[in-house]
Amino acid sequence: YGLCATYPRLLAVPRAVTDEALSRAAAFRSGRRLPVLCWKDAFGVASICRCSQPLVGVANKRSADDEALLRAIGETNPIGDTLHILDCRPKLNAEVNQVKGKGYEHAS
């Protein structure tokens, strides 16, 4: 469990992303919980990936590897061109976490 102690040994991620890039993307996520596939529609293209909040902090830091992983995930959908990112926390919680060095995705 080299990337994340709370993830299984095998992870489903786009094959275009290297192991080194996954490691760097994991370093940008709270608890190293990078975006990985957790559900796939057996008859269609719909899927759900889960991850923890990014470590953006008040400086709004970015990670090229994390962004490339999200792009690669979005590119796995042959009929859509938009990746939807949902944060189910109250907005206040996400903003408070940003002060603690964590935070939430920003549209780019």
Side-chain angles (χ1 to χ4, degrees), residues 20-34:
E20 294 79 17
L22 286 175
S23 183
R24 290 188 299 268
F28 185 67
R29 295 280 171 171
S30 177
R32 297 186 56 85
R33 291 183 298 275
L34 70 159

Side-chain angles (χ1 to χ4, degrees), residues 1 8 11 14 16-17 31 43 75 79 84-86 95-96 102:
Y1 305 84
L11 305 175
V17 182
F43 303 104
E75 290 168 358
I79 62 171
H84 297 279
I85 299 175
L86 307 174
E95 290 173 345
V96 167
K102 298 177 183 178

Side-chain angles (χ1 to χ4, degrees), residues 69-91:
L69 174 56
L70 291 171
R71 269 192 309 279
I73 289 169
E75 290 168 358
T76 64
N77 182 345
I79 62 171
D81 60 356
T82 302
L83 176 66
H84 297 279
I85 299 175
L86 307 174
D87 190 332
C88 296
R89 299 173 293 168
K91 187 174 182 178

Side-chain angles (χ1 to χ4, degrees), residues 31 37 39 42 49 59 65 68-70 76-77 98 104 107:
L37 182 70
W39 178 83
C49 294
D65 293 297
L69 174 56
L70 291 171
T76 64
N77 182 345
Q98 191 169 15
Y104 51 93

Side-chain angles (χ1 to χ4, degrees), residues 3-72:
L3 282 178
C4 175
T6 61
Y7 275 6
R9 191 171 62 87
L10 298 175
L11 305 175
V13 296
R15 74 175 58 152
V17 182
T18 66
D19 289 347
E20 294 79 17
L22 286 175
S23 183
R24 290 188 299 268
F28 185 67
R29 295 280 171 171
S30 177
R32 297 186 56 85
R33 291 183 298 275
L34 70 159
V36 296
L37 182 70
C38 67
W39 178 83
K40 167 75 175 79
D41 179 1
F43 303 104
V45 297
S47 65
I48 297 175
C49 294
R50 294 190 65 192
C51 62
S52 64
Q53 60 193 321
L55 302 176
V56 295
V58 293
N60 288 323
K61 293 182 283 185
R62 296 177 70 165
S63 164
D65 293 297
D66 186 70
E67 292 176 20
L69 174 56
L70 291 171
R71 269 192 309 279

